[in-house]
Amino acid sequence: MMRFMQWLHRWVSLILIIQVLLWIISAAVFSLMGHHGMSGHQYMRHVHPPILEKTAPVWPLENVRKSYPDADSIVLRSVLGQPQYQIKQEDNWVYLNARDGHIWQTDTELATRLAEASYNGPGEVTDVTAITSTDEVIDWQGNGFRVDFADDLNTRVYVDADSGQIIEHRNTLWVIADWAFRLHFMDYSGERSFNHLLIWSAGLFALWFSLSGLILLLRNIAQGDFNPRRKPTWLEQLQRDQQPIASSCGGGGTCGLCKVTFTGDQIPAITPAERSMLSAAEVQGGLRLACQHRVRPQDEVELANADVATHQLTLVNKRDLTPSLTELTFTAERAIDYAAGQFMQFKIPHKEAALTRHYSMATKPGSNQLVFTVRHMPAPTADLPPGVGSTFLCQLQPGDQVEAIGPFGDFVLSSQPQRKQVFIGGGAGIAPLRALIQAELDASQPRDCVFFYGARNSNELCYTGEFSVAEAVDYTPVLSEPAAGDNWTGPVGFVHTVAEQWLATQDVQTLDVYVCGPPPMLKATMAMLAKAGVPRDNIRFDDFGI
Amino acid sequence: MTQVTRSSRWRVWHRWLSLIFGIQMVLWSISGAYMVFFDLDYIHGDHLVQEITQPVPANIQVAPVDEVLAAYPHTQSLTLETLWLNGQQQAVYKLDGHQGEMLLNATTLTTVQLDEAAIEALAKRYYALPDPQISSVVYLTENPPTELNPALLPIWQVNFDDFGNTSLYLSETTGEMLVKRHTFWRGFDIFWMIHIMDYEDRVDIESWWLQAFIIGTFILMITGAVLLVYTISFKRKPQGGAV
């Protein structure tokens, strides 16, 4: 239910966010301008009609009654001292000059005088144009004039010629307000209608959007998220205690990295987030996401890897393997017990904050030295900075220190005795794969190893000698763009296509496959393995870069 | 291998801002939806009333305009039409001028006073729905209901016993129907009040608290948009391999 609310809130907001922002911005325009500011009437004078006695009609009312026997009402009034009959028949109005009974006429000169009489601004008339319709008075059509005044607001006065009445005053502020109305009402015809299909749909979406938000907010209140004295979640508690625990979503229950094991008698019930992030076996085994549970006194919690600790590493050696890969060798002040394929989380100082970057150990465990291969991330374009982590690490000099937490990761060797071990990698993916292969060769009864490694050209290949001489390893380097001087005789193309051809000759049920490389290569390889029918449980991958 | 820890900070801001401004956002969308979904003509009550003026029969003699103006020299506009009085259409002059609004018998030029029975009869003619049932007729001189502009006082309020609890407001001098109200207009007015956050007079759209809520909601939406970028572009682990 709550995950559905989250889903609904998120997707509806994606559709709606632009319109909601437009609503807010146009509302701000309304509120800042106010009713008067939006009216266009800044320079409008209230006209007091002259008293009729002074302009008494010559044309008798009796004659009007005879000519218009169906008139529902007959009005006599004065237009700038000229008497005028207004005759209403059904929905139709007729205007007569009350001096002679002829149809009322408004010429340019009268229109100008009418406009001036209704105007109290500082400007003079600059232009009078005869019109039959205007976008600025959407429901008016007929014979009329637009009278322009030279003032700071570009006032224009619209005059109806048939009646000699002022239709409207318009100006620059009115245009701004009019656009705010168009945005607010989603009516771009200028009619300022807010009863139409588009805004009905938007209104419905907005209702769902805000109500789902309200429900989520009530959940947060019920959970006590706003109580400053609430118990922290286990994730917050462990982070506060500087315990090594990974998280990338920040407690939203969407990344699944903060796994811990509850060992006490009362293991908390799983939440919907855990149902989607954890396997049944993990739930059975007491694994939970630390962000989903508050600290309770009776809880006993173990970190997924108790060997994880913070280490000070000292750089002892640095060498370039290829133009883009640098090998860094560190010593730790105390032994780090890691499994081949695992990684360390480096703290990279950047501006005021510390960023974290993950690098896998590139050798089998057992020595007191840690070896990493770091790929330079050059600036993608001139105006973007190069990779923060790789730049920092590659600039370290022997003797410099860096802080790292670990080891982390479940990209480790399988324990299936009979299976062939297949490694597929590219680029900096060499590091964990090399550690895994070294560890496998070190075993008392090494399983057969097959290693496909993709690089652009032969300059980008590394540790070639090491893999070529190992008898238990069937090493196949693959170049995607061999250089002219490479004299390359090996396979050319993408590493996953070469691996695919080999897989076609194998019983895929008897393989363990390890994949590590840049995201496009990883994605293509995973798709290829699925197509080749390799069981999902036999595949392990390290999605470095994400 | 970037670890996104900023997302949790945006999430905290989004939650706290929603606690303060989210309720108004809900109220805005509910009130906005009401105003959008009910047709404005219906809200105005255009379906409740009809035109009642009819042509002045040709055989009725009316006093000439000069005579009217001589009697009431401060008149600025003058209207000849019919009014339903004493069970029949009568020709009347409506005057507007410095002396205020006036209603005259068009033949005799005597002033016409509208009593409760005349107002009730007029209201029934204005009322467009079948079978008009009047529940009360009230002459309002002070303390107008919130649905009425105080400038229109004094005025006759005619209440109907119908689906929308219709109230028609008729001018005490001319009998003209000036204002019409019904339940859905009143609902609209309340939602409008909620929408612009002027809980007193329901007209002020420039209050500082409305502006504060607009700015706060804008920031709330920006934090939401940032979270949207984080959560929707969050890459899923590749799902490879046969099951």
Side-chain angles (χ1 to χ4, degrees), chain B residues 14 23 51 75 80 145 149 154 224 236 240:
Chain B
H14 191 65
I23 301 301
E51 290 279 350
T75 301
L80 175 68
N149 179 353
R236 303 243 159 240

Side-chain angles (χ1 to χ4, degrees), chain A residues 6 9-11 13-14 17 20-21 24-25 27-28 30-35 38 48-53 56-57 61-62 65 69-78 85 88 184 194-195 199-200 203-204 206-207 209-211 214 217 219-221 225-226 246-250 252 254-255 257 345 355-359 522 526-527 529-530 533-537 539 541-546, chain B residues 1-8 11-12 14-16 18-19 22-23 25-31 33 35-41 51 53-66 69-70 73-82 93 98 188 192 195-196 203-207 210-211 214-215 217-218 221-222 224-225 227-228 231-232 234-243:
Chain A
Q6 253 177 352
H9 189 68
R10 215 172 276 169
W11 282 99
S13 65
L14 183 68
I17 190 79
V20 171
L21 288 172
I24 294 172
I25 292 166
F30 297 151
S31 187
L32 291 173
M33 294 181 78
H35 290 300
M38 297 189 288
H48 293 277
I51 55 175
L52 286 170
E53 204 194 12
L61 180 60
E62 272 314 303
R65 285 183 68 201
D70 297 333
D72 287 324
S73 75
I74 301 168
V75 182
L76 176 65
R77 61 165 205 141
S78 163
Y85 282 119
K88 181 169 184 266
H184 208 79
F194 50 84
N195 303 123
I199 198 162
W200 289 336
L204 218 51
L207 214 50
F209 168 61
S210 63
L211 287 177
L214 179 68
L217 181 67
R219 178 199 64 170
N220 284 334
I221 293 172
D225 289 343
F226 291 107
S247 168
S248 83
C249 70
T254 54
C255 73
L257 285 179
Q345 181 172 298
L355 303 179
T356 58
R357 294 289 186 272
H358 299 178
Y359 288 99
L522 185 69
M526 295 304 281
L529 293 173
V534 180
R536 181 67 187 80
D537 290 344
I539 304 171
F541 63 87
D542 189 356
D543 55 345
F544 80 82
I546 298 165
Chain B
M1 301 206 172
T2 317
Q3 250 203 342
V4 185
T5 49
R6 288 194 195 88
S7 66
S8 59
R11 193 178 292 279
V12 168
H14 191 65
R15 280 181 185 172
W16 279 101
S18 71
L19 188 67
I23 301 301
M25 183 69 202
V26 173
L27 293 176
W28 272 332
S29 47
I30 293 174
S31 53
M35 295 192 279
V36 159
F37 278 111
F38 285 96
D39 190 71
L40 192 61
D41 293 337
E51 290 279 350
T53 53
Q54 289 183 5
V56 177
N59 57 355
I60 292 187
Q61 287 294 317
V62 303
V65 169
D66 294 346
L69 295 183
H74 295 295
T75 301
Q76 289 168 304
S77 88
L78 166 156
T79 305
L80 175 68
E81 56 186 27
T82 60
Y93 276 122
H98 297 175
F188 191 97
W192 168 249
H195 213 69
I196 65 167
V203 287
D204 182 11
I205 59 171
E206 300 174 67
S207 62
L210 175 62
Q211 293 175 355
I214 289 172
I215 293 167
T217 307
F218 186 80
M221 290 301 134
I222 295 297
L227 278 177
L228 211 56
T231 49
I232 290 191
F234 187 81
K235 291 180 189 118
R236 303 243 159 240
K237 301 224 170 222
Q239 294 293 317
V243 179

Side-chain angles (χ1 to χ4, degrees), chain A residues 9 147 212 228 265 286 315 382 471 481:
Chain A
H9 189 68
V147 182
S212 59
D265 294 334
L315 185 68
E471 273 180 25
E481 299 164 18

